[in-house]
Amino acid sequence: MGVQPTSRDGVVELVVARVVGLTGPGGAGTGRRVRVLVDGHPSTDPSGWADALVEPLRAAGHEAFRVSATTFLRAASLRLERGHEDPDALYESWLDAAALEREVLRPFAPGGSGRFTPSLRDPATDRPTREPARQAPPGSVLLLDGALLLGQGLPADLAVHLAARAATLRRRTPDDERWTLPAYDRYEREVQPSDEADVVVHVDDARRPAVLDRTTGRR
């Protein structure tokens, strides 16, 4: 097992194959629901990577639902209690992990109802989205993207981490967001997400990713 050079399409194919293996035989309407976390610093584009999995999964016969952790942030009055640029608050308390588990991840669990809430709060306006609940049939896949997701105790069936060196993150982070970087340094130090994830995608050069697949021979 080691890091293997690949392409973006190669990463998508690998992750789709792992997800299909977890859902079991059949397509939407049969098999187990699967929860996939796509975790990474915003500059690694976890949303774009999660989006890229949707159509290949549907082509494989499995309905795919997209949820972004940015729509499960706590209200601004709570998450900004320590100011607008506190990296420890970002790391510790911006995400409403309990709501994300209750409203999204638990319904996709074995024995869950499949009825989930796609979003709670608009991160730009800080207002409830009031998005209606949706029903995920058996055999469907949840694709949840976000940052700082691992180490939160969020239940998942497959975790994908988009890894980049600290120097890469510093180079890609806009000046007005550089205050966030200590949170990601702390994440690397305390959680070590590359050790926690099932699939690690190294994206220092997004055009030439490399992948470490820990699921081989394990699932």
Side-chain angles (χ1 to χ4, degrees):
M1 180 178 66
V3 178
Q4 300 294 324
T6 186
S7 63
R8 188 179 180 94
D9 287 345
V11 173
V12 169
E13 289 173 8
L14 184 150
V15 174
V16 168
R18 299 298 174 262
V19 172
V20 170
L22 289 169
T23 60
T30 63
R32 62 177 287 198
R33 300 181 184 93
V34 172
R35 301 159 294 183
V36 181
L37 303 187
V38 182
D39 169 74
H41 184 274
S43 71
T44 67
D45 192 24
S47 177
W49 282 93
D51 287 344
L53 297 168
V54 172
E55 289 307 319
L57 283 167
R58 289 177 177 167
H62 297 275
E63 184 59 276
F65 296 93
R66 286 283 289 109
V67 173
S68 177
T70 58
T71 64
F72 282 83
L73 300 181
R74 289 188 169 90
S77 60
L78 298 175
R79 69 177 188 269
L80 302 179
E81 283 181 324
R82 289 184 269 178
H84 286 73
E85 298 185 354
D86 188 303
D88 289 325
L90 170 64
Y91 179 78
E92 296 168 0
S93 59
W94 275 38
L95 180 68
D96 192 342
L100 189 54
E101 178 175 356
R102 180 183 67 248
E103 302 293 336
V104 181
L105 295 167
R106 201 178 299 160
F108 273 83
S113 67
R115 186 173 175 81
F116 72 101
T117 303
S119 65
L120 282 187
R121 188 177 302 277
D122 186 318
T125 65
D126 196 43
R127 295 176 180 172
T129 59
R130 306 189 191 283
E131 190 172 359
R134 300 186 67 181
Q135 183 67 41
S140 57
V141 181
L142 167 70
L143 299 167
L144 169 65
D145 76 89
L148 306 171
L149 295 181
L150 305 182
Q152 298 259 15
L154 296 173
D157 303 293
L158 188 76
V160 179
H161 175 61
L162 304 170
R165 292 188 292 267
T168 302
L169 299 186
R170 286 195 297 271
R171 185 174 68 252
R172 292 177 178 171
T173 301
D175 288 345
D176 62 348
E177 296 177 9
R178 293 179 72 85
W179 65 270
T180 66
L181 290 172
Y184 292 92
D185 291 339
R186 184 177 170 189
Y187 187 50
E188 286 293 330
R189 186 173 64 252
E190 295 185 1
V191 175
Q192 299 179 321
S194 291
D195 292 337
E196 292 291 320
D198 300 296
V199 177
V200 181
V201 186
H202 294 268
V203 290
D204 287 285
D205 184 344
R207 299 166 300 176
R208 299 178 179 85
V211 65
L212 172 63
D213 177 16
R214 292 196 177 87
T215 69
T216 303
R218 176 154 61 87
R219 297 185 187 275

